[in-house]
Amino acid sequence: MQASGCYPDASLKPSPFLRPCSGNKLRDAKVDLVDWCKAQPDAIPAVGAPAPGLQLPALPPARRRRCTLPSESQRQPSPFFARATQHCDVFGDDPATKYVVCMFPRVDRGFFLSDRDWTCYRRNYFQVSCTFSLLGSSAPQTGGGAKPRTCVVVDNGIPRTVSHFLIGISAQVSSSDRGVELVQHTPKRDKGPQITPQPQPVRPSDSLGSGAHDINASAAVCFERLQFKTATANNGKRRAAQQYYALEVELLAACDDGHCVAVATSTSSPIVVRGRSPGHYADTTRRRNASSSLSSGTLTAGTAPSLPPTLDPVQAS
C-alpha cells in the first residue's frame, strides 16, 4: 500500500489540527514555541501544580476496615507433643548442680489434621524422632583426658548413678492407662518380622552430664516404620464417643546398679487411627453432609431423599 504524505497508511486519517510539515517548518515552530515560553513565564504552571481552571474533587475520607483476629485455636492447631514432664531430680557430680530435663520429640511423617484432630491410617507408616538436653548451672569439662562428669538420679529418695540414657516410645488410650500395641517393620520391602519398638541409647544434645554419655550413642533417636496394631473405635460415628490414642516418648536412665528409672515423658495430643481406606471416610463425609441438608430443609425441588431398601419376608426372617 502506498504511503500518503507523512503517514505510512492511507487509511489512517490525519487530524485537522496536525499537518505534515517539512524539516524547516518544524524547526521554525520549535523556535517560536521557545520564544513564547520566555515571553510569558507565568503561563507555565509549576511542576506538580494543577492546571489552571481545573477543580479537583475532594477525596472521601479513608474508611478503616475492622479486622477481627481469629482465635488461638483457629490460628494454629494444637502442638503434637506436649511439654515434657520430669519425674525425678537429676544432679551432677556436685550436689549443687541440678539439671532440668528438656525433651524435643517430633513426628516426621504419617499424621495429618482432619476435623481438627490429629489423624493417621493404621496401615501407613509413621516416624518419630527425639532429642533431649540437660540444662544446668555449670559448664561441662572439656579438654584432653578430663574426667567426664557424673549424672545422678534420685529415685524415691535413693540416689543412683546413671550409666547411660535411653529413649523409648509407647502408645496408650488417651486419658487412660490401657496400653496400645505399636509394631515396627524392617527396612525390607517384603513382609518381614514385626517387632515392638525398643528403647534406644541416646546422649544429651548439649553435652552436659557427660558422665552419662555412651560413646556409641547418638544425640538423636529415630523410630522409623511404626504402625498402630489396632484402630481407634467409633471413627466417624456421630452417636458414639470417638476413641483416641496417644503416643508417649519416655526418657530412661540406666543406672550402674541395674535399675532403670523413668526421668521424663512427653505425651502427644489425642490421635485418631483410621482402619479403613480414605475412600470410606470420604463417603461418610458426603453422607453426613447430605443428612445435614435434609435436617435443615435445604433439599432442592424435584429431588427426593433416598430410602433404605426394604427387606422381603424371607430376608426379614
Side-chain angles (χ1 to χ4, degrees):
M1 182 179 295
Q2 186 177 2
S4 174
C6 296
Y7 299 94
D9 191 352
S11 62
L12 299 176
K13 301 297 183 181
S15 173
F17 302 100
L18 296 176
R19 296 181 179 179
C21 56
S22 62
N24 294 333
K25 292 183 178 181
L26 181 61
R27 183 174 59 253
D28 296 340
K30 290 181 179 180
V31 174
D32 295 340
L33 180 60
V34 172
D35 295 339
W36 181 84
C37 294
K38 291 180 179 179
Q40 301 180 13
D42 298 336
I44 303 176
V47 177
L54 181 62
Q55 298 294 332
L56 295 178
L59 297 177
R63 185 178 180 181
R64 289 188 175 184
R65 181 177 296 179
R66 187 175 180 180
C67 180
T68 304
L69 295 177
S71 61
E72 182 66 25
S73 59
Q74 294 175 343
R75 284 199 295 267
Q76 58 183 359
S78 59
F80 195 89
F81 279 101
R83 186 175 180 179
T85 301
Q86 187 170 341
H87 302 296
C88 64
D89 293 332
V90 182
F91 296 93
D93 51 0
D94 183 3
T97 304
K98 187 176 181 179
Y99 295 131
V100 177
V101 179
C102 297
M103 297 181 64
F104 308 99
R106 72 173 190 178
V107 171
D108 297 324
R109 63 172 184 172
F111 291 89
F112 59 94
L113 281 173
S114 177
D115 295 333
R116 305 179 70 176
D117 289 332
W118 287 106
T119 309
C120 72
Y121 287 96
R122 186 185 65 83
R123 294 180 178 272
N124 290 358
Y125 292 157
F126 66 92
Q127 179 174 307
V128 177
S129 59
C130 183
T131 61
F132 84 101
S133 297
L134 296 177
L135 305 181
S137 59
S138 61
Q141 294 183 3
T142 58
K147 183 180 178 180
R149 288 189 176 272
T150 303
C151 273
V152 177
V153 295
V154 180
D155 179 24
N156 295 326
I158 303 175
R160 304 182 188 274
T161 304
V162 179
S163 171
H164 58 277
F165 288 103
L166 302 163
I167 287 182
I169 187 171
S170 61
Q172 60 188 16
V173 178
S174 183
S175 302
S176 173
D177 295 334
R178 186 162 64 92
V180 177
E181 190 173 353
L182 292 176
V183 294
Q184 187 174 22
H185 294 258
T186 60
K188 296 182 179 179
R189 293 183 177 271
D190 55 353
K191 188 175 181 180
Q194 300 178 5
I195 60 175
T196 302
Q198 300 297 320
Q200 300 181 17
V202 66
R203 56 181 174 83
S205 58
D206 55 1
S207 73
L208 285 177
S210 55
H213 287 186
D214 187 352
I215 298 178
N216 298 323
S218 62
V221 167
C222 184
F223 297 94
E224 300 177 327
R225 298 175 298 279
L226 296 176
Q227 284 182 336
F228 288 95
K229 195 168 185 179
T230 58
T232 51
N234 305 326
N235 291 336
K237 295 181 180 180
R238 303 180 63 181
R239 297 184 179 180
Q242 172 69 59
Q243 188 184 43
Y244 294 95
Y245 290 164
L247 290 172
E248 185 177 80
V249 180
E250 187 175 25
L251 176 64
L252 304 171
C255 303
D256 292 340
D257 57 3
H259 286 79
C260 193
V261 181
V263 178
T265 55
S266 177
T267 306
S268 71
S269 300
I271 299 169
V272 175
V273 181
R274 294 177 174 179
R276 298 191 179 185
S277 62
H280 168 79
Y281 298 97
D283 294 339
T284 302
T285 303
R286 285 193 293 267
R287 289 194 298 267
R288 184 184 304 172
N289 295 336
S291 63
S292 301
S293 301
L294 290 175
S295 61
S296 60
T298 58
L299 189 66
T300 58
T303 61
S306 58
L307 299 178
T310 57
L311 299 177
D312 52 28
V314 178
Q315 294 177 342
S317 60

